[in-house]
Amino acid sequence: GNLVVASGHGIDFSASEGGTGTSSEASLLADYETGTWTPATGGSNWTANTAIYVKVGGLVNLFFDITNGTGANRTSIENLPFSVNSSHAEWHVAYYAVGGSTTSVEAERHGGYVSTSGALITTVGGGTSNWTISTTDRIIGRATYYTTS
């Protein structure tokens, strides 16, 4: 059968702790969740071929294959499945297709940062300029961030 842990408890790894964490809470795995999420911007949903998340403790990983079906050009992807706890988070583009075409790939689109307001923000070369996700453009990518949820 399955190992069932009582609510409010978890698996304690403190006996094998080798880092600088001093509290047993730092070594307690008390949360694991996987599911789907609905990317949106400005109240309009993106077309999602895939939009899944895996949350382990406070670390959230997003994996997505989405198309801008919002009806407007965008510089962010919003409606993340959990609140963002840190501005030290990023997202990356593995594949970007202009107009959804599989033959017209845009190599200059690399990703950006995850805003504490709960959005994936596009940035050019890690700077403050944004690149635009045009209507019908397709993105396959991933994001990683921390949450307190």
Side-chain angles (χ1 to χ4, degrees):
N2 294 331
L3 173 66
V4 178
V5 179
S7 179
H9 298 278
I11 302 171
D12 187 347
F13 292 99
S14 62
S16 61
E17 192 171 271
T20 59
T22 57
S23 75
S24 61
E25 287 183 16
S27 299
L28 185 66
L29 176 58
D31 186 20
Y32 173 85
E33 183 178 337
T34 185
T36 60
W37 59 288
T38 304
T41 304
S44 298
N45 291 344
W46 291 65
T47 303
N49 296 317
T50 303
I52 62 173
Y53 68 85
V54 177
K55 180 178 177 281
V56 180
L59 183 66
V60 179
N61 289 287
L62 306 177
F63 305 93
F64 50 89
D65 177 352
I66 59 177
T67 301
N68 182 357
T70 65
N73 294 341
R74 302 295 184 184
T75 58
S76 67
I77 302 166
E78 300 166 5
N79 200 39
L80 304 184
F82 299 95
S83 60
V84 179
N85 183 26
S86 172
S87 59
H88 303 290
E90 80 290 337
W91 70 281
H92 298 277
V93 173
Y95 177 83
Y96 189 97
V98 176
S101 169
T102 58
T103 59
S104 180
V105 177
E106 176 59 66
E108 300 301 315
R109 315 291 187 185
H110 299 290
Y113 69 94
V114 182
S115 166
T116 53
S117 68
L120 307 180
I121 308 295
T122 63
T123 58
V124 177
T128 57
S129 300
N130 299 100
W131 50 272
T132 300
I133 306 165
S134 299
T135 301
T136 71
D137 285 1
R138 178 181 176 199
I139 302 172
I140 299 174
R142 66 162 189 83
T144 302
Y145 66 93
Y146 284 97
T147 186
T148 54
S149 298

